[in-house]
Amino acid sequence: MIGSTARKLARSISRGPATSRAARTPSRAALSLCRWANEIQLSVPELLEVCDVVTSARPMNLLVFGVGNDSTFWRCLNAGGRTVFLEDNEEWMRLVKKRDPGVDARLVTYKTQIEDWRAGLLDTEIPDLDLPSDVRAQKWDGVIVDAPAGWAPGQPGRMKSIREAARLGRTGGHVFVHDCDREVERAYCDRYLRRERLAREIGRLRHYVL
């Protein structure tokens, strides 16, 4: 119990400085500390893959499907640019925005179930995602797909977010899709982002150039 409390306190104390340092200079060591302090799910090599693109092009227009423990890091990494998050869990979104009021997060509704993913590979079977007009109008330099949930029956799955990523990114833009160890993510990436656009695959992360 004492050990757990001490770890939480250490993370809390380290979180701000670790995030700022990693966002400013995303070295392997800095990202490792930032990942620990914020309990970020992406591995250090996966983070490095995204950071290499963002730091070479920032400030940029960056769209992220999903808010989470990494939201402040993505916002700070793209300093001076526009970073928008799309989230379907209103309670979780409020919690993240309370923790970091600088996070520009918008609520979306997917209206899909992961069980229907095979039928959804037919383009007409998936209605368009209802997006804020300013998000739909923007051609994004980078898109990160790490939501919605898609590991259990009844969850929305990432069918719509992957398809929208392919549509919303500008020509020459970058799309990163996480959890590509799963069948649904792989199938929708192949369908909408296409294998010939796959630049790199690091761990569970796929990096596409449109």
Side-chain angles (χ1 to χ4, degrees):
M1 184 67 176
I2 295 176
S4 175
T5 302
R7 281 194 297 274
K8 287 181 181 178
L9 180 60
R11 282 195 171 98
S12 178
I13 294 171
S14 304
R15 189 169 296 133
T19 302
S20 297
R21 180 185 173 195
R24 188 170 57 251
T25 309
S27 65
R28 185 175 292 271
L31 287 171
S32 182
L33 179 58
C34 176
R35 181 175 182 265
W36 173 81
N38 290 283
E39 299 182 84
I40 294 174
Q41 291 186 4
L42 271 72
S43 68
V44 170
E46 291 168 347
L47 289 169
L48 277 168
E49 183 69 16
V50 183
C51 288
D52 284 348
V53 170
V54 177
T55 55
S56 67
R58 63 186 178 188
M60 67 190 304
N61 294 310
L62 179 64
L63 181 66
V64 184
F65 284 86
V67 298
N69 294 332
D70 53 3
S71 295
T72 298
F73 172 70
W74 296 132
R75 179 181 66 78
C76 294
L77 182 71
N78 188 31
R82 183 187 185 201
T83 306
V84 175
F85 299 84
L86 302 176
E87 176 58 46
D88 66 316
N89 186 320
E90 188 172 6
E91 183 178 352
W92 178 232
M93 186 179 76
R94 282 201 304 265
L95 179 62
V96 171
K97 291 182 74 170
K98 181 179 179 181
R99 197 164 58 197
D100 181 358
V103 168
D104 182 359
R106 319 290 184 85
L107 190 66
V108 294
T109 304
Y110 287 97
K111 299 179 182 177
T112 53
Q113 287 193 325
I114 196 168
E115 298 94 312
D116 302 325
W117 71 269
R118 287 184 175 83
L121 285 170
L122 301 172
D123 199 49
T124 55
E125 294 297 322
I126 302 182
D128 289 341
L129 183 60
D130 187 13
L131 293 172
S133 58
D134 63 316
V135 173
R136 177 70 70 187
Q138 180 71 59
K139 281 300 182 182
W140 298 89
D141 303 305
V143 183
I144 300 172
V145 178
D146 203 13
W151 67 84
Q155 294 177 339
R158 296 183 185 168
M159 297 86 77
K160 278 191 177 182
S161 53
I162 291 172
R163 190 180 74 166
E164 292 293 357
R167 292 177 168 183
L168 294 167
R170 67 168 176 82
T171 301
H174 300 262
V175 176
F176 303 90
V177 182
H178 198 226
D179 295 316
C180 284
D181 54 322
R182 301 192 303 219
E183 185 178 18
V184 175
E185 279 77 0
R186 290 197 305 271
Y188 275 76
C189 282
D190 291 347
R191 170 70 173 83
Y192 293 106
L193 292 167
R194 303 208 303 263
R195 290 174 184 246
E196 61 268 26
R197 291 174 171 172
L198 181 62
R200 283 168 64 81
E201 189 164 3
I202 308 294
R204 295 183 294 151
L205 183 79
R206 284 190 180 183
H207 173 194
Y208 293 86
V209 179
L210 301 178

